[in-house]
Amino acid sequence: MELMRKLLLFVLLVSLIPVSLIKAQSRPLLSKDSLGIYNRVLSPRAMKEDLQLLRNIGDKTNSGLYRYRTKKQIDSIYNWAAASVKKPMRVTEFYKIILQLADFEGSCHNYTIVDQQLLDYLNRQRGFFPYDLKYLEGKIIFNHHTPEIPAGSRILSINGVPDTTLMKSFYKYFTGDGYTITQKLTGSVQRAYGIRYLLEYGVKDSFAVRFTPPYSSEVKSAVLPAVTLETRKANLEKRYSASLDSIIDYNVQPKYSFRMLDSSTGLLNFRIFSMASGADDPAFPVYVRFIDSVFQLLDKKAIPNLVIDIRSNPGGSDPTFEQPMMYLTDHPFKENTLAYIIFDRDDIPFRKYFWGVSTSHKMTPEEEVAGRQFLKDNYLPYSNGRSYQNPKYNPVYYPKQPAYKGHTYLLIDENTASAASHLSSLVKAYARNTTIVGVETVGGYYGHNGHSPLVFELPNSRIKNQFSMVYVVQDAPVKPDIPEGRGTIPDIEVWQSYEDFMQLKDTQMEYVLKLIREKK
């Protein structure tokens, strides 16, 4: 049990590392190390076999396959995929088809990647876009001061591809729960120009950029030489907005922290919910005592305002995110009202193609033994097509004292996912005196597929597909402003503005502080 929990936490952390940061090396000189070797040509028969296997695996193991789509809709997109592979194509082209299948399902826990050898080859190339880009107000904004292009310039095209076409081409790489699109918007710019650009558009020697400088309509051009991944990484550290971005970066900030912004406002930050792998982790009571000390202080000093910031928090382990919630509500709550898998806990289907619980790590026999024990412990015997969660892992959480009596402001954004978006759902559902500010979360309000990942490798293309196997209905009462299949929608929608970006201001935090000032 403990081994499996640690393994699942490892999977979470590994999956959050951008694939563009994996194993960067200089370009090799050996002729045998060529793209043609790793980016193989697949026959129509091989691709159709992989597509049929993927569908069969989904039907037998993926409880979220038909969560937001009807069988007719899933049939339709798989028919489209089959019709798209009538001629031989390379792995990367087939990969783009598989990405669209995974994206169509509607789960932010879906993740699809090509074989590691192909990734390694691409990461060795001098083919990377050298600088960082920002999504602001629907535009691609250059995020560096360079002699060729000033910071704040609007990018109109790269290598002849218009900005809107570029952005839409990357939507399929960013899966969201249900029908959410907010993460697709920013991800298509801010997380697209590492390895994803190479997978989508191939290795380029240079980038012809058309742009307009800040506060100008004059169209200019520049040619930027491609760089190695190591050079790109070094450049990213010097990006214009680095100091602003670091505020909500879990790689930079503590996992959790608290400070007083002034005498009347406290700020409680949760950058990632991996501070403990479970209730039996020695770090968990330390974290619980910290949370209690914060609310003791807020109560003792009668602090009227509390800002809780979970922007760009990618999630983590239960029961970490429930802890602050108990001080914010008068209502008992549970992690979920329903959770199940659709296969027999004692027999993982398609064992021949089962890879493990992480795309970067093939499960060892010892880990598989622990995994089977985890399933047996966490799920009841299979009956009528389902193995339900063992009730002992879904306890009731009761309100704690001292209850916070002031006004809470919850900050969320399009990268608030998994356990963090689950916390936002609970806050929306049950918290007292709360205003939610920011952008709709990528994680669902009413439910998600989560808890435990499964990875299967398609034998012909060697593409790996990861999804979370547990169908979860969250403890989230119906809200008139949140349709089915959407994330937690803020009470006040606030995006980062271009003007604030240029002045390196945190638009969303500034908005909350303005609300507090105006309340006085």
Side-chain angles (χ1 to χ4, degrees):
M1 177 66 181
E2 179 60 22
L3 176 61
M4 192 61 185
R5 280 182 176 169
K6 289 181 178 178
L7 179 60
L8 291 174
L9 182 58
F10 167 79
V11 169
L12 168 73
L13 296 175
V14 169
S15 67
L16 296 169
I17 301 173
V19 291
S20 61
L21 304 183
I22 302 174
K23 298 184 180 178
Q25 301 177 24
S26 61
R27 180 197 286 258
L29 300 178
L30 297 176
S31 60
K32 67 179 182 180
D33 189 30
S34 68
L35 185 58
I37 294 175
Y38 304 111
N39 193 18
R40 296 173 292 112
V41 174
L42 301 171
S43 69
R45 178 179 178 180
M47 291 183 285
K48 287 180 180 179
E49 287 176 352
D50 278 4
L51 286 171
Q52 186 60 58
L53 176 61
L54 181 63
R55 177 64 184 275
N56 293 342
I57 289 171
D59 279 329
K60 295 294 185 182
T61 64
N62 186 353
S63 63
L65 183 61
Y66 303 111
R67 182 165 200 152
Y68 301 106
R69 308 296 183 183
T70 65
K71 185 178 183 301
K72 184 178 180 180
Q73 289 174 318
I74 295 295
D75 287 344
S76 178
I77 195 169
Y78 269 86
N79 289 337
W80 162 82
S84 301
V85 297
K86 291 182 177 180
K87 294 181 180 180
M89 64 176 60
R90 294 201 177 271
V91 169
T92 49
E93 295 307 306
F94 183 53
Y95 171 60
K96 296 174 189 178
I97 294 172
I98 301 295
L99 281 173
Q100 292 178 74
L101 297 176
D103 181 37
F104 188 70
E105 290 175 15
S107 173
C108 72
H109 290 94
N110 282 4
Y111 179 66
T112 305
I113 195 62
V114 296
D115 182 64
Q116 187 65 48
Q117 288 186 328
L118 175 53
L119 287 178
D120 289 346
Y121 175 82
L122 292 174
N123 279 324
R124 289 194 292 269
Q125 306 314 300
R126 187 183 295 275
F128 286 86
F129 190 82
Y131 299 114
D132 189 50
L133 301 172
K134 275 278 188 184
Y135 174 90
L136 293 168
E137 299 176 353
K139 303 176 181 66
I140 301 177
I141 303 299
F142 195 70
N143 194 19
H144 285 261
H145 271 312
T146 71
E148 302 89 354
I149 308 175
S153 296
R154 178 186 176 183
I155 304 300
L156 301 176
S157 68
I158 297 175
N159 285 341
V161 182
D163 56 352
T164 53
T165 302
L166 283 168
M167 288 187 279
K168 289 178 181 178
S169 70
F170 290 110
Y171 284 1
K172 58 184 174 286
Y173 290 84
F174 303 99
T175 58
D177 283 350
Y179 317 113
T180 61
I181 64 167
T182 50
Q183 190 186 72
K184 292 180 183 296
L185 299 176
T186 57
S188 69
V189 177
Q190 293 166 199
R191 296 165 57 193
Y193 287 82
I195 193 69
R196 292 185 176 101
Y197 185 92
L198 276 66
L199 289 166
E200 185 68 20
Y201 290 100
V203 179
K204 308 296 182 184
D205 293 326
S206 62
F207 301 91
V209 180
R210 293 178 65 251
F211 67 95
T212 57
Y215 310 110
S216 170
S217 59
E218 180 184 5
V219 177
K220 295 188 174 185
S221 299
V223 176
L224 305 176
V227 300
T228 64
L229 179 56
E230 287 185 344
T231 299
R232 173 176 163 80
K233 288 165 60 179
N235 286 346
L236 294 187
E237 292 180 0
K238 302 172 185 177
R239 65 193 183 278
Y240 176 73
S241 66
S243 60
L244 182 62
D245 299 339
S246 69
I247 294 172
I248 57 173
D249 186 348
Y250 69 87
N251 292 300
V252 177
Q253 301 296 339
K255 295 179 179 180
Y256 56 96
S257 63
F258 175 80
R259 65 187 176 95
M260 294 297 298
L261 296 176
D262 56 37
S263 60
S264 65
T265 304
L267 172 61
L268 182 56
N269 291 302
F270 296 104
R271 298 276 65 89
I272 186 170
F273 283 113
S274 62
M275 60 282 290
S277 59
D280 52 355
D281 187 330
F284 183 69
V286 176
Y287 166 65
V288 170
R289 286 194 296 272
F290 167 82
I291 296 297
D292 187 67
S293 70
V294 168
F295 285 95
Q296 293 285 353
L297 182 148
L298 294 172
D299 184 69
K300 181 179 179 180
K301 295 189 175 182
I303 303 299
N305 305 296
L306 172 63
V307 180
I308 299 179
D309 189 351
I310 57 172
R311 290 176 295 171
S312 292
N313 184 321
S317 299
D318 182 69
T320 57
F321 69 89
E322 293 94 345
Q323 300 311 305
M325 184 62 203
M326 290 187 282
Y327 296 89
L328 303 174
T329 184
D330 299 316
H331 196 289
F333 62 91
K334 300 175 75 173
E335 194 269 348
N336 67 76
T337 58
L338 178 68
Y340 62 83
I341 58 178
I342 63 171
F343 60 89
D344 189 342
R345 65 176 192 180
D346 298 319
D347 183 24
I348 297 177
F350 300 97
R351 178 66 190 81
K352 180 180 178 181
Y353 308 104
F354 178 63
W355 176 267
V357 295
S358 168
T359 58
S360 63
H361 172 74
K362 187 173 178 61
M363 182 174 273
T364 66
E366 294 77 15
E367 289 168 342
E368 186 170 334
V369 169
R372 289 182 179 277
Q373 184 57 48
F374 170 84
L375 289 174
K376 190 171 184 177
D377 187 44
N378 278 259
Y379 298 94
L380 303 177
Y382 187 71
S383 177
N384 297 322
R386 296 179 180 180
S387 290
Y388 288 94
Q389 182 186 44
N390 188 328
K392 74 177 181 179
Y393 294 111
N394 187 33
V396 177
Y397 294 91
Y398 295 96
K400 274 190 175 182
Q401 297 297 324
Y404 181 61
K405 302 179 182 66
H407 196 100
T408 301
Y409 299 85
L410 181 70
L411 277 168
I412 60 175
D413 70 5
E414 72 281 6
N415 295 313
T416 302
S418 196
S421 60
H422 202 153
L423 172 58
S424 72
S425 173
L426 289 169
V427 170
K428 180 81 172 180
Y430 298 125
R432 297 179 295 266
N433 307 324
T434 299
T435 302
I436 302 178
V437 175
V439 176
E440 179 184 357
T441 63
V442 68
Y445 170 78
Y446 292 108
H448 67 280
N449 265 67
H451 286 195
S452 305
L454 292 179
V455 179
F456 291 88
E457 184 181 63
L458 302 179
N460 297 316
S461 61
R462 299 182 67 181
I463 292 172
K464 296 178 184 65
N465 293 270
Q466 176 177 311
F467 57 88
S468 287
M469 63 184 180
V470 187
Y471 187 104
V472 179
V473 177
Q474 294 170 187
D475 187 354
V478 173
K479 296 288 183 178
D481 60 331
I482 302 186
E484 182 67 31
R486 297 288 295 277
T488 300
I489 296 175
D491 300 312
I492 306 172
E493 184 179 56
V494 179
W495 291 79
Q496 173 74 1
S497 72
Y498 176 81
E499 200 59 46
D500 283 350
F501 163 80
M502 294 299 292
Q503 298 179 40
L504 296 179
K505 290 182 179 180
D506 184 342
T507 302
Q508 293 157 338
M509 182 63 78
E510 291 288 334
Y511 189 92
V512 166
L513 296 180
K514 181 173 179 287
L515 287 179
I516 292 172
R517 289 194 300 271
E518 291 176 348
K519 186 180 67 172
K520 293 178 179 178

